[in-house]
Amino acid sequence: MYLLYVSACVLLSSNLLGAASELDYDGWLHIRLFHALNDDPVPQYVERGNITVSSVRSGASTIGQHGLQPSQITQLKYLAEKDSKYRLKAIIRSASGGENTFLTSLPACYLLGSDLEDILVIWIDSAAEPVAVNLLSPTGCTLDNPFAKMWSTSVQVKYPESGPVPDTASYIQKLEREREARERGETKDNRSFLAKYWMYIVPAVIFVVLTSATNPEAAGGGGGGGQRQ
C-alpha cells in the first residue's frame, strides 16, 4: 500500500511538471498597442498600432504601427530629460476568445538611444494564454533626438520550456528491491550495540538513578550494618 502511494505521488508530480513546462498547442494572438507620452500620474493613451502573432510556437508576427509626429518626438524627449518613463498598454486577444490588458513601461531615454527600436516580449502559459508583457530596448540611454520617426519593433513570444523529468521507474524499482530485501531478512544492520539498543539502556539507567535519589536512607543503613559485622 505504501509503495502504491509513493508511486502515485511521484507520477502525479511528473505529470504536473510536464503540464507546466510544455506548450500544449499552437495558437494566435492579436495585440492592440496604446502609448502615453505625457508625464501626468494618469496616462493619456493614444493608439500606437497593431500586432498579429500568427503562431505562438514560431513567434511569426505581422506588425503595423503609426510613426511619431514631431510634436510626439518632442514629448518623448521631454520625458527623457525628466528621467520619466514611456508607458505602453497592450490589449491582447487570444485564440480562445479571451482578452486581457497588460501595462509595461521603459525609461524614455532608452527609446531615444535606440532610435525608436524596441522589443516587445509576450509571456504565455502552457495553454498559449498571455500572462505578462515586457517592453525592452536593445541599446543604452541618450537624450539626443532619434534619427527615425517610425517604430522598429521586434516581437518575442516566450513560454515555459521542458524541464528534466524525474526517473520514476528506477525510483519505484529501488523501493521494491528494498522492500523485498527486508521481507527476506537480507538487510544487514551495521549499527553499534548502543545504537541498536539505546531505547532499552536509557530507561534502565534512568530508573537506577531515580531509585538511588529517592532512597538515600536505605543506602546509608545498608552500609552501617556491614561495618558492625
Side-chain angles (χ1 to χ4, degrees):
M1 178 63 72
Y2 172 75
L3 185 60
L4 291 175
Y5 173 75
V6 172
S7 302
C9 291
V10 173
L11 290 174
L12 180 59
S13 300
S14 302
N15 292 335
L16 290 176
L17 178 63
S21 61
E22 295 181 358
L23 188 63
D24 292 340
Y25 62 92
D26 201 359
W28 55 265
L29 300 172
H30 180 68
I31 307 159
R32 297 167 58 201
L33 296 178
F34 299 85
H35 59 182
L37 296 170
N38 65 315
D39 192 37
D40 300 331
V42 180
Q44 298 176 5
Y45 289 107
V46 295
E47 187 175 5
R48 167 173 157 170
N50 296 275
I51 298 174
T52 299
V53 179
S54 56
S55 170
V56 295
R57 286 189 185 275
S58 65
S61 59
T62 303
I63 304 172
Q65 301 186 91
H66 306 299
L68 289 181
Q69 301 296 325
S71 60
Q72 293 177 314
I73 293 179
T74 300
Q75 288 178 290
L76 185 63
K77 189 174 181 180
Y78 177 75
L79 290 177
E81 292 173 348
K82 292 192 62 178
D83 197 21
S84 298
K85 291 185 177 182
Y86 168 85
R87 291 170 285 187
L88 184 72
K89 177 170 67 173
I91 302 177
I92 305 179
R93 184 162 55 90
S94 63
S96 66
E99 188 173 276
N100 295 280
T101 300
F102 300 93
L103 302 177
T104 183
S105 63
L106 183 72
C109 62
Y110 282 89
L111 295 175
L112 295 179
S114 66
D115 290 325
L116 303 184
E117 180 181 355
D118 57 5
I119 303 170
L120 189 67
V121 182
I122 304 169
W123 295 89
I124 61 176
D125 59 17
S126 59
E129 293 295 328
V131 294
V133 171
N134 295 119
L135 183 65
L136 307 175
S137 172
T139 60
C141 178
T142 185
L143 297 179
D144 298 332
N145 286 327
F147 292 107
K149 296 182 180 180
M150 179 64 68
W151 295 103
S152 177
T153 302
S154 300
V155 178
Q156 298 180 4
V157 180
K158 295 184 178 294
Y159 54 89
E161 298 179 354
S162 300
V165 179
D167 189 358
T168 57
S170 298
Y171 181 69
I172 293 173
Q173 290 175 2
K174 178 183 176 183
L175 292 178
E176 185 66 22
R177 287 195 299 268
E178 292 177 353
R179 183 186 63 81
E180 293 176 352
R182 286 195 299 269
E183 291 178 354
R184 293 193 300 265
E186 296 177 358
T187 304
K188 295 182 179 180
D189 194 345
N190 297 322
R191 295 177 300 171
S192 64
F193 178 81
L194 289 177
K196 291 180 182 179
Y197 303 107
W198 66 269
M199 70 287 295
Y200 304 110
I201 297 174
V202 172
V205 173
I206 295 176
F207 176 76
V208 172
V209 172
L210 292 178
T211 302
S212 300
T214 56
N215 226 347
E217 295 182 358
Q227 290 177 0
R228 283 196 297 272
Q229 291 179 356

